[in-house]
Structures are given as structure tokens and as C-alpha cells.
Amino acid sequence: QEKHRILHKLLQNGN
Amino acid sequence: SQLLMAEPEKIYATPDPGLPETDINALSTLCELADRELVLTIGWAKHIPGFSSLSLADQMSLLQGSWMEILLLGVVHRSLPFQGELVYAEDYVVDELRSRVCGLRDLYLCTLHLVHRYRTLRLDKEEYVTLKALVLTNADLLRIEDVQSVQRLQDLLQDALHDYDSNQYREEPRRAGQLLLTLPLLRQTASKVVLHFHRARAQGTVSMHKLFLEMLEAK
């Protein structure tokens, strides 16, 4: 998940 | 109707009209477009009933496995009304001449083949949104932690496609099955496109945004 920070962040937060 | 409501807004590429049409500029336009579409696709996935209940790791795996198929299906759907043209965005349409000038002829031809397949089946909007959600749930199950939950979501979507088609297309009892049989070609075409971008990345001539790179690396 560390490698896929942006995807992780966008899924966790709103857009 | 939830899937229809989840559909993202129309997208514009706004390519710089001052730049010459070269393969590097065309690929840059497509990469930049794909990067923005990925943000929209992640937002779209969250509106698919049941998707947000999956673990974060499984949500990531599904998107990483299917994003190119999802983007490609979008291009295919936008291009259905046009002959010989690929509508990457409302303001970025690639015809045969442009595909040759931009060095995208291979991708153009295989994507056009996919468009032809769906045009023959007369894919409608409801089928398109359901098929696209099915593609999301059909990523490689080897990487999924909770296979049962993903399977449940996929079953729900498959039932929705069957219910819709048996109501709307009573005279075509095999229609839903025919649509599902297009998925191998979609996956094959998406692999070709991913390979093309991997090569472009290796050459280092096209600038790519972070999210696009991140998703490309996952493939």
C-alpha cells in the first residue's frame, strides 16, 4: 500500500 | 439506476492546439487524460453499491487490476455512434489519419475492433454501466483477501445485467451471455494498451502524472 499512496488516499478520502 | 447515477461527467482533453501532432504529444495528451479519468474512476467505484464495504486492500486490488479495461470501455462506449473514430474525450477524437500521424495505429485498430464488437451487439447505456461495474469486480481473484464478498458483489451485478436484458430484450435470451463473452477481448485489448504505455515509459520521452504511473506500475 506504501507504493500506491495516491490510490490509497483517494479511496480513503472524498474526492 | 444507481449505476446510471454514478456515471462520471463528460471529460475533455483540452490538447494544446499550438503543439504539432506527434506521437509524443499524442501520448502525453492520452496519459494526462487517463490520469484525470483515473481520479473520476476511483470516485465512480465508490458509488457502486457494495464496493465501499470491501476492505481497502481489496478495493485497491480491484481498481489496480481493472482500471485500463474500465477506461477502454469508456472510450468504446463514447465511440459507438461514430464510424472509424475513437472518442478519447469530447474534444479529442482520433480517426485513422490522426492515428497514423500520432504513431497510434496499432492501438487504434485493436480498439476499433472492440468498438465494432459492441456496436454489433448494440450495447446500450444500461448494459454499458453494468458491464463496466462487472469488469471492476472481475480482476484477478488471486490478489483478493475476501473472495466471498467480491463474488457476492459480482453475482449481484451479473443478476442485474440478466434481469435488465431479460426485461428489455425478451427476444434475445442469450444477450447477457453474449455481452459477458466480450470481456476476454476487452482484457486482451487493455493489455496491449498497457504494454504500449509501459514501452513509452521505458523510453522516457512522455511525461506521466503520478497516479497514472502508480497504476501503471501495479500492472
Side-chain angles (χ1 to χ4, degrees):
Chain A
Q1 295 191 358
E2 190 52 36
K3 263 175 75 186
H4 309 293
R5 278 183 305 129
I6 306 175
L7 173 62
H8 190 263
K9 208 155 73 184
L10 285 173
L11 278 171
Q12 249 183 344
N13 308 330
N15 282 323
Chain B
S1 41
Q2 277 179 290
L3 292 177
L4 285 171
M5 278 195 298
E7 270 303 281
E9 301 270 302
K10 284 181 174 175
I11 192 151
Y12 294 86
T14 55
D16 187 341
L19 290 176
E21 293 219 50
T22 62
D23 46 356
I24 294 171
N25 289 339
L27 272 182
S28 296
T29 301
L30 289 182
C31 289
E32 196 271 332
L33 183 66
D35 188 76
R36 279 188 289 125
E37 273 201 284
L38 277 170
V39 177
L40 294 178
T41 301
I42 295 163
W44 160 81
K46 290 186 196 174
H47 287 101
I48 294 175
F51 182 80
S52 292
S53 315
L54 301 172
S55 73
L56 201 56
D58 282 350
Q59 292 180 37
M60 288 174 74
S61 296
L62 290 180
L63 279 162
Q64 285 168 339
S66 63
W67 64 275
M68 185 54 91
E69 289 172 62
I70 291 168
L71 296 196
L72 204 50
L73 200 53
V75 175
V76 166
H77 183 251
R78 288 195 286 273
S79 308
L80 284 175
F82 307 97
Q83 291 287 339
E85 290 181 330
L86 295 180
V87 184
Y88 285 104
E90 299 301 314
D91 57 349
Y92 197 67
V93 178
V94 172
D95 58 13
E96 203 201 346
L97 179 67
R98 199 176 205 177
S99 80
R100 260 188 282 161
V101 172
C102 298
L104 294 171
R105 197 169 148 73
D106 287 352
L107 294 190
Y108 167 82
L109 288 177
C110 69
T111 311
L112 211 60
H113 181 58
L114 198 57
V115 174
H116 179 73
R117 181 93 182 255
Y118 285 108
R119 189 182 290 131
T120 307
L121 284 165
R122 293 167 287 106
L123 177 77
D124 71 23
K125 177 113 192 220
E126 285 79 0
E127 291 169 327
Y128 159 66
V129 295
T130 315
L131 206 57
K132 197 164 64 159
L134 266 170
V135 165
L136 175 69
T137 63
N138 198 34
D140 193 353
L141 288 182
L142 276 176
R143 297 163 69 182
I144 300 299
E145 290 172 347
D146 182 358
V147 174
Q148 262 189 337
S149 294
V150 173
Q151 191 65 57
R152 253 200 312 273
L153 179 57
Q154 191 179 79
D155 290 348
L156 208 70
L157 291 162
Q158 212 194 132
D159 288 348
L161 183 65
H162 276 279
D163 287 351
Y164 174 78
D165 276 351
S166 49
N167 275 313
Q168 293 295 314
Y169 299 93
R170 282 164 200 258
E171 70 291 359
E172 297 177 61
R174 294 185 187 85
R175 189 171 169 87
Q178 285 168 338
L179 287 172
L180 294 178
L181 286 172
T182 62
L183 296 184
L185 184 66
L186 177 64
R187 181 161 292 180
Q188 190 189 350
T189 312
S191 300
K192 283 185 191 171
V193 181
V194 164
L195 194 65
H196 193 91
F197 282 116
H198 269 302
R199 284 201 199 111
R201 195 201 161 191
Q203 285 169 357
T205 45
V206 178
S207 68
M208 295 176 177
H209 290 273
K210 279 184 185 161
L211 178 60
F212 182 76
L213 273 176
E214 200 180 279
M215 297 303 269
L216 197 61
E217 276 167 14
K219 281 221 145 279

